Amino acid sequence: MLLQLLLSVLTFPTSVLAAFGFTKSGSNYVIDAGSSNALVFTVNGASCDISSIKYRGTELQDSSKGTHLSSSLGSATVKVESVTASSVNYVKVTCTTSTLTHYMVIKEGESNIYLATYINEEPSVGELRFIARLKSSVLPEEYPYGKVSTTASSSSTVEGSDVFIVDGETRSKFYSSTRFLDKDAQCVYGGSDVIHVCVLAPRPESSSGGPFFRDIESNNAGEATNLYWYMNSGHVQTESFRTNVLHGPYILTFSRSGVPKLREANTSFFSGLSITGYVPESGRGYVSGTATGISNNFQNVVHWYNAQAQYWAIASSNGAFTSPAMKPGTYTMILYQGEYKVASATGVSVSAGQTTSKSIASTEKSRDSLFKIGEYDGKPTGFLNADKFLRMHPSDSRMAAWAPVTYTVGSSSVDQFPMALFQNVNNPVTIKFNLKSAPGAATLRIATTLSYAGSRPQAKVNSWSGPAPSAPTKIDSRGVTRGAYRGHGEVYDVSIPSGTLVTGDNTITITSISGSSSSGFLNPNFIFDAVELFT
């Protein structure tokens, strides 16, 4: 009997013997989640770096670099304490520097590390990110986009230090991005036991860029598999960073049961943990209303923002919407047809515990269109290579060839029209069309989504040359070569004088112009949204 008892103890899963809490080992803190699938990790008491992560007894942490904010805080004041709130036990780690306070919270019995980051100012490196640097030998795979961002075993570099060739394909960590609007779990995984390590970010209210912003999510770089949560960066930055705000909570979660769902994440317990900047549900309000004037062929998106926060909602098929729980304040409200801005309103006030009623309608007017190429949706939808560029470089052999295009209205297909116009690669694009009668004065509208290096379109209509537009607002970041397409969305209206368009055959040439130059796909370029000729 004694022997049987000893054997049962020795063979019992070690996770059951886990004791929730923390211990100090030298300058480090060892934290045990007390979970059935044992999670034990070590926090450096001088830097706040996580130096070890063991899940079910397997070491997941890369040995050369830590898991941390940015590229490590370097030094921080680290406090670790046990907290009980609403009869639930937690371990709370608080890391403080002159510019931020970073929290790690462990809830007893869960294989999760809950995180939140309060910042007084943006890091000097221009990126506020959490990065888990994990063993590529254990967690080699990436989700949801697979190998597109796996750069391990690259044979050459295509561009900068972040686009590579692997097995004849272009790959980059930038190709792992998802719009904020669509975000769910972003994960790395592997092993015979199939361990998933994922980031869930339920509320990116303090980030910048709005509902369509996207950034790096994962990258198996060979020496480590990196899993990111980018809160702010200069990657195609379109608005100022938010400071004196709490980013999060966000979650680093460990699972043997597949990919977790963002909608199932619950961080409401943060209200009892004295987290700087955390606003509970009871301290928030809502906006509800109806969005009108947009066809059901488009996603109907409503966006609210101010200097402290950003939110969004997708309207239903009848236009009804309700915002997420919002921090009190006064907001600007935007309506998008897809990603194309069609209306705005200011002075939308939100109060705690209340729902503000505010509807919004598209201000787009009907036009007598002579032709339209593409749709006004804020994206290069349907154009040549638009189905590929998010996950590969323009030079990739899987792309259709980039060359000057002649597009004939009525016979050419939309996917023959280029999604982007590169100054020295596929410049210009020529549009041929036939008119039954001369319309007199007309307008050529060229809607774009993103400009690189000052590129903008100049039009020539038959023998008449349109004016050269002034340079657009500069975004100091590569765009299409990193799988990005959304910038300030400049729309250029070219007023065509009466007598320019004729009965019969007509030709419009659109040329990318810029005062800058470079080589290859780093030439000045812009991305098309739609082109329309109307009266």
Side-chain angles (χ1 to χ4, degrees), residues 71-102:
S71 296
S72 178
L73 297 179
S75 63
T77 300
V78 179
K79 178 183 178 182
V80 182
E81 58 188 318
S82 297
V83 178
T84 299
S86 301
S87 302
V88 179
N89 297 322
Y90 304 90
V91 172
K92 177 185 175 184
V93 181
T94 306
C95 305
T96 307
T97 73
S98 61
T99 60
L100 62 81
T101 303
H102 181 59

Side-chain angles (χ1 to χ4, degrees), residues 461-522:
V461 183
N462 293 328
S463 61
W464 176 80
S465 293
S470 58
T473 301
K474 182 179 180 181
I475 294 177
D476 192 16
S477 175
R478 284 173 283 157
V480 65
T481 61
R482 285 177 164 181
Y485 64 89
R486 183 169 178 81
H488 294 300
E490 289 86 2
V491 176
Y492 300 89
D493 280 353
V494 182
S495 297
I496 302 171
S498 180
T500 303
L501 294 168
V502 299
T503 301
D505 293 333
N506 292 266
T507 301
I508 292 175
T509 302
I510 300 174
T511 303
S512 167
I513 63 170
S514 172
S516 302
S517 63
S518 188
S519 59
F521 292 99
L522 289 179

Side-chain angles (χ1 to χ4, degrees), residues 32 37 75 98 120 134 200 208 217 231 261 263 273 279 311 361 368 399 439 462 473 475 480 524:
D32 193 322
N37 288 307
S75 63
S98 61
N120 303 322
L134 306 170
L200 298 172
S208 299
E217 295 183 3
M231 291 162 268
K261 296 295 184 183
R263 66 175 180 270
L273 300 180
V279 179
Y311 305 95
D368 184 5
M399 288 273 188
N462 293 328
T473 301
I475 294 177
V480 65

Side-chain angles (χ1 to χ4, degrees), residues 96-111:
T96 307
T97 73
S98 61
T99 60
L100 62 81
T101 303
H102 181 59
Y103 299 96
M104 292 180 264
V105 175
I106 300 82
K107 187 178 182 181
E108 183 175 12
E110 293 189 5
S111 298

Side-chain angles (χ1 to χ4, degrees), residues 352-429:
Q354 298 182 24
T355 298
T356 299
S357 179
K358 177 65 177 178
S359 293
I360 191 167
S362 171
T363 59
E364 284 288 283
K365 295 179 172 59
S366 60
R367 296 180 289 271
D368 184 5
S369 181
L370 301 176
F371 70 75
K372 185 173 66 170
I373 305 169
E375 297 289 347
Y376 295 108
D377 64 355
K379 300 177 287 184
T381 306
F383 291 151
L384 182 71
N385 291 321
D387 59 334
K388 301 180 182 70
F389 81 101
L390 288 175
R391 311 294 168 207
M392 65 185 75
H393 191 270
S395 65
D396 197 291
S397 61
R398 294 168 291 174
M399 288 273 188
W402 297 93
V405 168
T406 296
Y407 182 94
T408 302
V409 175
S411 61
S412 295
S413 59
V414 171
D415 62 5
Q416 293 176 276
F417 195 87
M419 62 155 287
L421 205 55
F422 298 87
Q423 192 160 294
N424 292 329
V425 176
N426 64 334
N427 210 18
V429 60

Side-chain angles (χ1 to χ4, degrees), residues 15-333:
S15 58
V16 174
L17 303 177
F20 175 74
F22 70 92
T23 57
K24 192 168 185 184
S25 176
S27 61
N28 295 327
Y29 294 92
V30 180
I31 301 169
D32 193 322
S35 49
S36 57
N37 288 307
L39 173 65
V40 181
F41 66 100
T42 302
V43 177
N44 185 301
S47 68
C48 193
D49 284 10
I50 295 176
S51 58
S52 171
I53 302 173
K54 291 184 178 179
Y55 180 63
R56 292 177 53 81
T58 299
E59 180 62 66
L60 304 182
Q61 177 63 46
D62 175 56
S63 59
S64 62
K65 293 181 180 180
T67 286
H68 44 225
L69 280 179
S70 297
S71 296
S72 178
L73 297 179
S75 63
T77 300
V78 179
K79 178 183 178 182
V80 182
E81 58 188 318
S82 297
V83 178
T84 299
S86 301
S87 302
V88 179
N89 297 322
Y90 304 90
V91 172
K92 177 185 175 184
V93 181
T94 306
C95 305
T96 307
T97 73
S98 61
T99 60
L100 62 81
T101 303
H102 181 59
Y103 299 96
M104 292 180 264
V105 175
I106 300 82
K107 187 178 182 181
E108 183 175 12
E110 293 189 5
S111 298
N112 298 322
I113 304 174
Y114 294 87
L115 304 116
T117 310
Y118 183 90
I119 63 168
N120 303 322
E121 62 183 60
E122 190 71 13
S124 59
V125 293
E127 294 187 336
L128 181 65
R129 67 179 184 182
F130 173 79
I131 176 170
R133 302 183 189 272
L134 306 170
K135 282 190 171 182
S136 57
S137 59
V138 181
L139 301 166
E141 307 297 335
E142 303 178 55
Y143 175 89
Y145 301 111
K147 297 291 187 182
V148 298
S149 50
T150 295
T151 58
S153 304
S154 63
S155 58
S156 60
T157 302
V158 176
E159 181 180 302
S161 58
D162 49 35
V163 184
F164 303 93
I165 295 288
V166 182
D167 296 332
E169 298 179 353
T170 55
R171 297 187 186 172
S172 173
K173 59 187 178 182
F174 286 94
Y175 302 152
S176 64
S177 67
T178 304
R179 301 188 306 173
F180 275 156
L181 184 71
D182 304 322
K183 266 193 182 293
D184 208 314
Q186 54 200 65
C187 309
V188 297
Y189 66 98
S192 58
D193 209 15
V194 192
I195 296 169
H196 282 81
V197 182
C198 305
V199 167
L200 298 172
R203 187 176 275 165
E205 64 185 4
S206 299
S207 295
S208 299
F212 314 118
F213 185 75
R214 54 203 308 143
D215 217 326
I216 301 164
E217 295 183 3
S218 62
N219 172 222
N220 180 345
E223 66 275 13
T225 299
N226 302 312
L227 181 61
Y228 301 86
W229 168 234
Y230 264 86
M231 291 162 268
N232 277 336
S233 81
H235 303 150
V236 198
Q237 181 188 352
T238 56
E239 67 172 335
S240 299
F241 298 136
R242 293 177 169 88
T243 55
N244 297 309
V245 291
L246 181 73
H247 290 266
Y250 52 102
I251 310 163
L252 185 65
T253 181
F254 302 80
S255 171
R256 291 180 60 235
S257 54
V259 177
K261 296 295 184 183
L262 183 65
R263 66 175 180 270
E264 296 172 359
N266 183 357
T267 59
S268 60
F269 61 86
F270 265 55
S271 62
L273 300 180
S274 299
I275 305 293
T276 301
Y278 182 79
V279 179
E281 202 85 2
S282 61
R284 295 170 176 264
Y286 297 85
V287 179
S288 67
T290 304
T292 56
I294 296 177
S295 165
N296 285 335
N297 294 329
F298 299 95
Q299 193 174 49
N300 189 334
V301 180
V302 187
H303 172 207
W304 300 267
Y305 68 91
N306 61 19
Q308 287 75 46
Q310 58 175 6
Y311 305 95
W312 42 82
I314 300 172
S316 67
S317 58
N318 65 4
F321 63 83
T322 299
S323 73
M326 299 167 63
K327 292 193 286 190
T330 301
Y331 291 84
T332 296
M333 180 176 175

Side-chain angles (χ1 to χ4, degrees), residues 448-462:
T448 69
T449 70
L450 176 65
S451 167
Y452 175 69
S455 177
R456 63 273 194 192
Q458 184 175 24
K460 182 178 180 180
V461 183
N462 293 328

